[in-house]
Amino acid sequence: MTPYIIMILLSSLGLGTALTFMTSHWLLAWMGLEINTLAILPLMAQHHHPRAVEAATKYFLAQAAAAATILFASTINAWTTGEWNIHCLSNPTATTLITMALALKVGLAPMHFWMPPVMQGLDLTTGLIMATWQKLAPFALIIQMAPFTQPQLLMTLGLLSVIIGGWGGLNQTQLRKILAYSSIAHLGWMVTIVQLKPQLTMLALITYIIMTSATFLTFKLTSSTKINSLAMNWTKAPMITATTTLALLSLGGLPPLTGFMPKWLIMQELTAQELPLLATIMALTALLSLYFYLRLCYSMTLTIAPNTNNTITPWRLQNTQNTAPLTISMISTLMLLPLTPLAQALIN
């Protein structure tokens, strides 16, 4: 694929997301989501092997079903209220349908089944776009319509996502599938708090994007796609391996790393809203996610890859990739926790 075509597709991704961000009209929001979907499909299928084509097909079918549901539900709401405005959601059927369609868009449980196989079929760069940028436009709509949605529905979606995201990643050996289940679990934390304090949802989304970007870029730099291949990273690049283990622990939410900040603030807010049982369940289910992050750390630091004289030594090859984005995201992943008081001051 030529650089001009890639530039056009990436510009279309930006256009679709910006259109959804700026509008309060359901038809324009739907159009932005469709532009986003159509722009990423050629990027997904640019490597012509069956798994990439299968991933693009599954993604297209899931996103088309969600977009059709959004269009149908917004038409029902417009028929009832006479308004296409996002803030005029008063029909309960339309509100529930749109919430479930947006959950399908981002991959919330129990509509998450398309996400792990789709992520597995992508290369790491396109997987990074899928796990980060493609969440922005649907989440902008979820935040806008959260005040009109049933709280029980959002809490159920969030709790199921945290549980299934942790449980599903336990027996995986492919790094992209593990990161897909990690995404599902993090989205659950965001959706649980979106109705009580949307600023916390935005904070959690930003920190998740930073941490996931650092992880994907590291795996891309070391060409790692399976747990077994992580055992060679210590020989290739000891410094990157050490920081990657810390980034994975940050994704798990361990202090004193950045990933602890949103989970701490979300649990604090849930407790303040007299939902201590929900906060306790989410804290316990976060241990499931922490287990498979620790599993990756164990593979990187405490195992040694088989070494024979017949193998090519990949650590002697010259690296030509740009490491500036990795450096910025990794430093942010490890060292933003001291900004917690500033974040609290901004969201209160």
Side-chain angles (χ1 to χ4, degrees):
M1 191 176 289
T2 63
Y4 299 107
I5 295 178
I6 292 177
M7 183 184 68
I8 291 172
L9 293 176
L10 293 179
S11 302
S12 300
L13 277 176
L15 172 66
T17 304
L19 187 62
T20 307
F21 276 2
M22 292 186 294
T23 187
S24 59
H25 194 284
W26 274 118
L27 281 181
L28 287 177
W30 170 80
M31 191 182 301
L33 294 174
E34 286 297 282
I35 292 173
N36 249 4
T37 302
L38 294 177
I40 201 172
L41 287 173
L43 293 173
M44 296 172 70
Q46 63 178 322
H47 301 288
H48 299 291
H49 56 81
R51 188 171 287 168
V53 176
E54 179 189 352
T57 306
K58 287 180 178 177
Y59 182 74
F60 172 73
L61 292 175
Q63 299 297 307
T69 306
I70 290 172
L71 193 60
F72 174 65
S74 57
T75 306
I76 292 176
N77 187 69
W79 184 274
T80 306
T81 63
E83 288 283 344
W84 285 94
N85 198 308
I86 292 174
H87 303 288
C88 293
L89 272 176
S90 59
N91 188 298
T93 304
T95 305
T96 304
L97 280 175
I98 291 175
T99 305
M100 300 302 284
L102 290 173
L104 178 60
K105 275 275 181 189
V106 295
L108 281 168
M111 281 77 65
H112 67 286
F113 295 103
W114 61 269
M115 194 169 180
V118 166
M119 289 282 282
Q120 178 58 27
L122 304 178
D123 63 305
L124 289 168
T125 307
T126 315
L128 173 60
I129 297 174
M130 178 70 62
T132 55
W133 186 265
Q134 290 298 93
K135 311 294 184 192
L136 295 177
F139 252 99
L141 296 178
I142 290 174
I143 291 172
Q144 288 188 69
M145 62 174 292
F148 315 104
T149 310
Q150 295 178 357
Q152 295 85 356
L153 178 60
L154 290 174
M155 297 286 183
T156 304
L157 287 173
L159 192 57
L160 276 176
S161 298
V162 174
I163 294 172
I164 292 175
W167 202 267
L170 291 180
N171 63 341
Q172 301 297 329
T173 58
Q174 301 288 333
L175 297 179
R176 285 163 291 185
K177 279 191 176 181
I178 289 176
L179 289 172
Y181 281 109
S182 168
S183 173
I184 294 167
H186 279 87
L187 295 178
W189 283 86
M190 300 173 208
V191 168
T192 303
I193 202 67
V194 67
Q195 202 164 36
L196 302 175
K197 188 169 275 193
Q199 302 95 321
L200 271 180
T201 297
M202 295 172 65
L203 177 67
L205 182 60
I206 291 168
T207 52
Y208 162 75
I209 288 174
I210 292 171
M211 295 184 295
T212 304
S213 299
T215 311
F216 265 103
L217 291 171
T218 304
F219 291 157
K220 181 174 181 292
L221 186 70
T222 57
S223 302
S224 303
T225 56
K226 295 184 290 186
I227 287 185
N228 291 340
S229 61
L230 293 178
M232 298 175 62
N233 284 1
W234 191 264
T235 318
K236 290 182 187 178
M239 193 65 186
I240 289 178
T241 304
T243 54
T244 306
T245 56
L246 294 175
L248 291 170
L249 295 177
S250 182
L251 272 171
L254 282 185
L257 304 167
T258 305
F260 178 63
M261 173 169 55
K263 292 185 177 179
W264 177 23
L265 295 176
I266 287 172
M267 285 194 290
Q268 187 180 30
E269 183 64 27
L270 289 175
T271 308
Q273 297 287 341
E274 298 183 354
L275 295 168
L277 180 61
L278 179 61
T280 304
I281 294 174
M282 292 186 68
L284 291 175
T285 50
L287 297 175
L288 294 171
S289 301
L290 183 60
Y291 174 78
F292 60 74
Y293 295 132
L294 287 172
R295 194 165 152 234
L296 296 181
C297 295
Y298 172 80
S299 299
M300 295 180 75
T301 57
L302 297 175
T303 56
I304 301 175
N307 190 11
T308 62
N309 294 328
N310 297 327
T311 58
I312 301 174
T313 51
W315 49 88
R316 294 179 185 171
L317 299 177
Q318 198 77 351
N319 176 42
T320 58
Q321 298 184 40
N322 181 18
T323 55
L326 172 59
T327 305
I328 296 169
S329 57
M330 186 65 75
I331 293 173
S332 304
T333 299
L334 303 182
M335 302 181 68
L336 287 184
L337 186 64
L339 295 181
T340 304
L342 175 63
Q344 279 187 304
L346 291 175
I347 64 180
N348 287 333

